[in-house]
């Protein structure tokens, strides 16, 4: 039996006592993916991106492994929750305007010591000060360098619109401003190269586009490596005791780790390996997180209908943002209906072997967003469910 049919047989046996819809994480694949991330990081610690996991039990599992240290969070409320749960090093990777949480942060020594917030604009500092109330704890600050590749004098931009701080001089100026402002301390610098780490360079059936992406990414890596090193030197001239420089993402781990200026790597999606990572030449992983929908109808030859399944991923809309019907192999969406809110027809020869009540297994397009649809993850080892753990949603924590 080849790998995918064998996996389907295992997952069906493991969950035979459970009704779909349900979600699983294959722990053998999860752990193998974690090992691969560590190998590619070349000895530099990996900070786990919580938005790509969204399950405390699995965050704890990976943080217990050698090679992983700290969490990269996505909201301030989540950061405080994780710190109260025992995570001692939380980097909030996005600016926040959550005044209530800033008041909590600045009033609690334990939280203030554990959580680092992201700043790329003096207005954010003013908001924090206005939110303090009676809180007087020093706020740990991380500055973000914009990583986008700018060509033709800035008329062409490649990369996400994130930080306004593009040049080393801009970063140093803000570091100087923070350093002079009472109640704040610059401890870190981050730079997420999404156009390198988060864009596939081997898209099936599109060889010219794939080659163009590879050429762009090679140029972007060279440009960013030089500019990031300059930025680190400029900030260290202001803040000599800078604690960390964070960079990278699942798709660029080995490239970012090769930069001497970077002290730690961010990654998370590579633990689950969602379908968007099928288009990468930089690494290959094992799909670890899947969800199952039950067959509820057989409308005719070569078609079955499953319950729900319309779980599109964030980002620019397109077919690549839909979950992939994964097991049994060979099913596809009806192009006139796609993935539905309440029901989804699936076409293909495997449909004729599926009975009402059978499970169809899907891969989400992105990683942690799957957990916004399910209260629990069933952890599979071999052909058994060995534990069932809550997602963020299952703990009543829907931060976004």
């Amino acid at each position: 039996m080849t790998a995918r049919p064998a996996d389907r047989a295992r997952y069906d046996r493991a969950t035979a006592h459970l009704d779909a819809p349900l979600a699983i994480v294959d722990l053998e694949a999860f752990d193998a993916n974690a090992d691969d991330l560590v190998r590619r990081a070349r000895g530099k610690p990996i900070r786990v991106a919580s938005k790509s996991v969204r399950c405390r039990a699995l965050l704890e599992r990976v943080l217990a492994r050698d090679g992983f240290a700290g969490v990269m969070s996505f909201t301030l409320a989540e950061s405080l929750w994780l710190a109260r749960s025992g995570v001692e090093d939380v980097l909030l990777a996005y600016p926040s305007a959550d005044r209530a949480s800033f008041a909590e942060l600045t009033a609690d020594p334990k939280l203030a010591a554990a959580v680092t917030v992201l700043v790329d604009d003096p207005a954010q500092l003013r908001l924090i000060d206005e939110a303090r109330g009676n809180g007087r704890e020093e706020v740990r600050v991380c500055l973000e360098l914009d990583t986008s590749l700018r060509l033709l004098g800035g008329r062409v931009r490649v990369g996400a619109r994130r930080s306004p701080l593009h040049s080393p001089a801009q970063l140093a100026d803000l570091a100087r401003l923070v350093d002079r402002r009472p109640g704040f301390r610059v401890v870190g610098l981050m730079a997420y190269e999404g156009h390198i780490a988060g864009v596939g360079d081997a898209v099936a059936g599109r060889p010219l586009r794939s080659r163009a992406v590879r050429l762009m990414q090679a140029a972007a890596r060279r440009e960013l490596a030089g500019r990031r090193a300059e930025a680190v030197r400029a900030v260290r001239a202001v803040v000599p005791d800078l604690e960390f420089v964070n960079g990278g993402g699942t798709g660029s781990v080995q490239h970012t780790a090769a930069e001497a200026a970077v002290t730690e790597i961010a990654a998370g999606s590579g633990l689950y390996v969602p379908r968007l990572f099928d288009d990468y030449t930089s690494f290959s992983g094992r799909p670890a997180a899947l969800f199952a929908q039950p067959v509820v109808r057989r409308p005719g030859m070569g078609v079955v209908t499953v319950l729900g399944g319309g779980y599109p991923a964030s980002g620019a809309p397109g077919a690549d943002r839909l979950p992939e019907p994964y097991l049994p192999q060979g099913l596809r969406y009806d192009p006139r209906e796609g993935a539905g809110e309440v029901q989804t027809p699936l076409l293909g020869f495997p449909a004729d072997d599926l009975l009402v009540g059978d499970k169809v297994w899907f891969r989400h397009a992105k990683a942690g967003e799957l957990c916004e649809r399910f209260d629990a993850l069933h952890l599979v080892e071999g052909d058994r469910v060995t534990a069932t753990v809550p997602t963020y949603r299952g703990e009543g924590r829907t931060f976004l």
Side-chain angles (χ1 to χ4, degrees):
M1 193 179 296
T2 58
R4 280 174 65 166
D7 284 342
R8 181 192 174 200
R10 285 196 301 114
Y11 301 151
D12 282 346
R13 285 196 300 271
T15 62
H17 61 296
L18 299 170
D19 287 334
L22 58 85
I24 66 167
V25 170
D26 184 331
L27 289 182
E28 181 181 334
F30 181 90
D31 291 343
N33 293 334
D35 288 341
D36 186 62
L37 287 170
V38 171
R39 177 189 61 79
R40 292 197 288 134
R42 305 179 185 184
K44 291 187 177 178
I46 299 170
R47 186 181 290 275
V48 186
S50 64
K51 77 178 181 66
S52 301
V53 180
R54 302 193 203 197
C55 170
R56 274 201 303 166
L58 290 174
L59 286 173
E60 291 166 359
R61 182 184 183 91
V62 74
L63 287 172
R65 303 175 69 88
D66 290 340
F68 292 86
V71 170
M72 175 179 280
S73 59
F74 59 97
T75 75
L76 183 54
E78 178 212 13
S79 305
L80 303 187
W81 178 64
L82 290 173
R84 289 194 181 97
S85 302
V87 181
E88 297 179 350
D89 181 4
V90 183
L91 168 60
L92 174 58
Y94 306 87
S96 176
D98 184 347
R99 291 176 173 83
S101 291
F102 277 126
E104 291 182 55
L105 176 71
T106 57
D108 188 317
K110 179 183 176 183
L111 296 178
V115 175
T116 301
V117 304
L118 188 124
V119 168
D120 59 25
D121 188 316
Q124 296 154 356
L125 300 173
R126 293 193 291 272
L127 184 146
I128 295 170
D129 270 338
E130 291 166 1
R132 282 179 182 272
N134 295 322
R136 293 293 177 264
E137 294 299 322
E138 184 177 65
V139 176
R140 292 168 53 85
V141 168
C142 175
L143 308 180
E144 181 172 10
L145 174 70
D146 173 62
T147 65
S148 63
L149 176 64
R150 298 184 181 181
L151 305 170
L152 302 178
R155 292 191 295 276
V156 175
R157 174 194 179 107
V158 180
R161 297 181 182 275
R162 289 177 64 106
S163 171
L165 308 174
H166 187 77
S167 72
Q170 289 174 311
L171 211 65
D173 286 345
L174 185 56
R176 199 170 292 112
L177 188 153
V178 176
D179 190 54
R180 293 171 180 169
R181 192 177 186 110
F184 296 89
R185 179 162 61 96
V186 176
V187 299
L189 168 64
M190 74 164 283
Y192 172 57
E193 52 266 45
H195 52 302
I196 302 171
V199 177
D201 62 349
V203 181
R206 304 191 66 180
L208 295 180
R209 182 185 186 278
S210 298
R211 177 169 171 74
V213 169
R214 288 194 291 273
L215 290 172
M216 176 277 292
Q217 290 179 337
R221 284 197 300 268
R222 289 192 297 271
E223 186 276 336
L224 178 59
R227 183 159 52 90
R228 180 154 41 198
E230 279 187 54
V232 172
R233 286 193 294 270
V235 172
R236 287 195 186 278
V238 179
V239 187
D241 57 345
L242 199 67
E243 294 178 15
F244 64 86
V245 177
N246 180 283
T250 289
S252 70
V253 170
Q254 64 269 37
H255 302 298
T256 309
E259 295 182 34
V262 174
T263 66
E264 63 175 41
I265 311 298
S269 296
L271 296 167
Y272 287 170
V273 186
R275 66 167 292 196
L276 284 180
F277 285 111
D278 291 349
D279 297 334
Y280 285 68
T281 59
S282 60
F283 83 106
S284 61
R286 293 174 54 183
L290 300 95
F291 67 92
Q293 302 294 106
V295 173
V296 292
R297 284 177 169 166
R298 291 171 50 86
M301 293 293 292
V303 56
V304 292
T305 301
V306 298
L307 184 70
Y311 306 158
S314 60
D320 64 342
R321 299 289 149 167
L322 296 178
E324 175 194 19
Y326 184 61
L327 300 171
Q329 192 171 359
L331 293 172
R332 65 186 186 279
Y333 292 115
D334 183 328
R336 292 170 297 181
E337 295 195 47
E341 177 188 12
V342 177
Q343 67 171 35
T344 297
L346 296 171
L347 312 179
F349 69 88
D352 292 331
D353 294 325
L354 290 169
L355 304 177
V356 170
D358 285 350
K359 296 180 176 78
V360 174
W361 296 90
F362 293 78
R363 293 169 67 200
H364 204 279
K366 298 183 79 172
E369 292 182 21
L370 165 67
C371 295
E372 298 298 341
R373 299 287 184 168
F374 293 91
D375 290 342
L377 297 173
H378 301 285
L379 307 184
V380 172
E381 296 184 73
D383 60 357
R384 295 187 305 121
V385 170
T386 57
T388 298
V389 297
T391 60
Y392 277 15
R393 168 178 152 157
E395 295 197 68
R397 303 288 178 166
T398 48
F399 294 108
L400 277 178

